[in-house]
Amino acid sequence: MFDQAMARIAGRFRRVEPRATARAFVLGLLSGVERKNCWRLAEQAGYARPGPMQRLLRSAHWDADEVRDDVRAYIVEHLGADDGVLIADETGFLKKGTASAGVQRQYTGTAGRIENTQVGVFLAYASSRGRALIDRRLYLPDTAWSRDTERRTRAGVPDQVEFATKPALAGQMIVAALDAGIGASWVTGDEAYGQDPGLRALLESRRIGYVLAVACKTRVRINQGRTTVRADAVADRLPASAWHRQNAGAGAKGPRYYDWAWVEIGTDGHRHLLTRRNSTTGELAFYLCWTPRPVPLSELVRVAGMRWCVEECFQAAKGQVGLDHYQVRHWTAWHRHITLAMLALAFLVVLAADATPARTAQPNWPARSTDPIDLTVPEIRHLLGALLKPPATTPNRLLTWSNWRRHHQATARRSHYRHRLAAG
């Protein structure tokens, strides 16, 4: 299966040397190497120096966007389903110095504060079969980078790249995905994207439904009135009968049940304000929704719950395949490393999906109480790393230990669920 995945991108390399180096690079990302930079990946591949890996990222002749297209097609081929959702979000890459493309002091959720960082805007695809990253853009700050010609030249930023907001970058990726034939009917994202009217208008023009988070101060028009009302004020006026307890999907601690209410804010039945309330703390969250056709509340809740899939993708990409382990400053090198890391993650996600065909085809399929948990992306990466690490362990021995671990993890999960049920 790894050979088949690499064969999809083999034609993007003009010469055999970078093609072989790309294969070694992705294998290194899948290995158990702690820091997945060029030095450590070269050592893992048996090279005397990191030169081949560095040339692959900086000067070899290949187009990272073409490989990105192959990764996107690979994901949709294996994970595509009728319930697919596109998710836009960003993540930060903490850096030192000022030479790396796009770096500046800016807020990033990765650190939870203003730090010297690069910010990448990503698009993920999620369905009942799995989730993975399918596109990426490096955010280029306006004042510090877009207008500084000398700095752009040193970092290798192409002349045609202009300043674009994060929602605009997300819109570019969504349009590219739809034009490539991705059969997704929904888009979701956090407040940074929900507050942008241009992105919402773009999605409506493409007849793609959305469930986008917005701030509590967002003003909406109720009952065809001329005046607008804050979203939190609308929630305060709702009667108890307007709230419905629904499951937003499985989380780390089991099903995520919240109270949900929806209010029509248009005249055509396609626009709604969706409100989520934590039944324990009373905390509220708000979403602007638009659908090309009427849908039930449960469908909006499902899409809203899918937004967290992109956070899981970031966690897996950074923790398992070194998405943020690069030591490059150049614009081209950044995109190449990120794209190859996306390919490594896609391979792990496809393996996990193929390992549980019955449950991925039927998400509500009940597991028996004696079943181990499904093979996860971290577990598969651990098994591959053990196989690649000399002296290689036999697959049968690895699977025996894996089954033992997953049986015990399933037992712990059942005990945790029982405890939550007993606590009400």
Side-chain angles (χ1 to χ4, degrees):
M1 291 185 67
F2 180 75
D3 290 339
Q4 292 172 0
M6 295 304 300
R8 300 181 76 103
I9 69 168
R12 305 302 186 182
F13 301 92
R14 300 179 183 179
R15 300 174 63 241
V16 67
E17 291 85 356
R19 187 183 309 135
T21 305
R23 176 186 173 86
F25 192 98
V26 177
L27 276 176
L29 295 177
L30 295 170
S31 71
V33 175
E34 183 176 355
R35 291 295 300 173
K36 296 177 171 63
N37 53 45
C38 286
W39 286 86
R40 299 301 302 274
L41 295 182
E43 181 182 359
Q44 171 72 20
Y47 296 138
R49 298 184 62 81
M53 298 295 184
Q54 293 171 340
R55 284 193 297 272
L56 176 72
L57 297 184
R58 181 65 184 268
S59 59
H61 293 287
W62 61 285
D63 191 331
D65 286 345
E66 292 178 347
V67 175
R68 181 271 322 272
D69 294 344
D70 294 332
V71 173
R72 182 173 56 203
Y74 178 63
I75 285 296
V76 175
E77 178 182 324
H78 289 272
L79 304 184
D82 293 337
D83 59 353
V85 176
L86 295 174
I87 314 165
D89 202 1
E90 73 227 30
T91 188
F93 304 91
L94 302 180
K95 304 294 289 184
K96 295 181 179 179
T98 60
S100 299
V103 70
Q104 77 165 14
R105 288 188 59 80
Q106 54 191 320
Y107 177 82
T108 171
T110 302
R113 59 183 182 274
I114 295 177
E115 286 284 355
N116 198 56
T117 182
Q118 293 173 299
V119 172
V121 181
F122 287 80
L123 187 68
Y125 177 84
S127 72
S128 55
R129 288 188 54 80
R131 63 288 310 262
L133 303 173
I134 61 171
D135 206 346
R136 73 286 177 270
R137 296 286 193 279
L138 179 60
Y139 173 67
L140 201 65
D142 185 17
T143 304
W145 280 93
S146 297
R147 305 175 187 178
D148 192 334
T149 304
E150 182 180 354
R151 197 179 187 190
R152 288 168 58 104
T153 302
R154 288 198 303 267
V157 180
D159 294 337
Q160 66 270 23
V161 175
E162 299 179 351
F163 170 74
T165 64
K166 296 168 187 175
L169 294 175
Q172 294 173 14
M173 293 187 290
I174 292 169
V175 168
L178 296 176
D179 290 344
I182 286 187
S185 301
W186 292 97
V187 171
T188 185
D190 63 15
E191 290 183 16
Y193 305 92
Q195 297 289 150
D196 188 86
L199 178 61
R200 300 198 304 267
L202 170 66
L203 296 175
E204 292 177 21
S205 68
R206 297 297 296 254
R207 307 294 293 173
I208 300 297
Y210 59 75
V211 180
L212 296 169
V214 293
C216 62
K217 62 183 179 181
T218 301
R219 305 190 72 87
V220 296
R221 196 170 265 106
I222 305 297
N223 297 328
Q224 304 180 26
R226 295 183 178 181
T227 60
T228 58
V229 184
R230 282 175 53 123
D232 52 1
V234 175
D236 291 340
R237 300 175 187 174
L238 293 175
S241 59
W243 296 94
H244 306 274
R245 180 68 55 85
Q246 297 222 9
N247 178 16
K253 298 181 180 180
R256 294 174 293 158
Y257 282 99
Y258 296 96
D259 296 328
W260 299 85
W262 60 337
V263 177
E264 187 174 337
I265 58 175
T267 59
D268 53 5
H270 299 308
R271 299 181 189 277
H272 292 85
L273 172 68
L274 177 67
T275 305
R276 186 193 73 196
R277 183 178 68 188
N278 188 308
S279 58
T280 303
T281 64
E283 180 183 6
L284 298 176
F286 304 92
Y287 304 84
L288 287 182
C289 309
W290 181 85
T291 60
R293 64 186 186 283
V295 297
L297 172 62
S298 58
E299 181 68 359
L300 298 182
V301 170
R302 180 188 73 84
V303 177
M306 295 288 276
R307 197 200 74 77
W308 294 103
C309 292
V310 71
E311 303 291 349
E312 297 173 358
C313 289
F314 290 149
Q315 182 180 8
K318 292 183 177 182
Q320 304 301 324
V321 297
L323 184 76
D324 59 344
H325 292 187
Y326 59 87
Q327 293 179 338
V328 297
R329 297 177 175 177
H330 200 266
W331 173 275
T332 300
W334 186 89
H335 284 84
R336 289 181 173 184
H337 173 90
I338 296 297
T339 303
L340 293 177
M342 287 168 50
L343 173 60
L345 177 64
F347 173 67
L348 294 176
V349 170
V350 169
L351 278 180
D354 289 350
T356 54
R359 282 180 217 163
T360 51
Q362 302 183 48
N364 297 321
W365 190 271
R368 296 174 298 178
S369 60
T370 56
D371 284 346
I373 67 170
D374 294 336
L375 278 167
T376 61
V377 166
E379 179 69 7
I380 293 175
R381 213 282 308 155
H382 170 77
L383 295 174
L384 287 173
L387 285 174
L388 296 173
K389 181 180 179 180
T393 308
T394 62
N396 287 337
R397 181 177 177 82
L398 283 176
L399 289 175
T400 298
W401 279 105
S402 176
N403 288 330
W404 180 85
R405 280 194 302 271
R406 291 186 293 115
H407 271 291
H408 280 267
Q409 289 168 340
T411 301
R413 182 177 63 181
R414 287 193 298 272
S415 298
H416 181 73
Y417 284 5
R418 291 193 189 102
H419 177 74
R420 289 195 68 198
L421 288 171

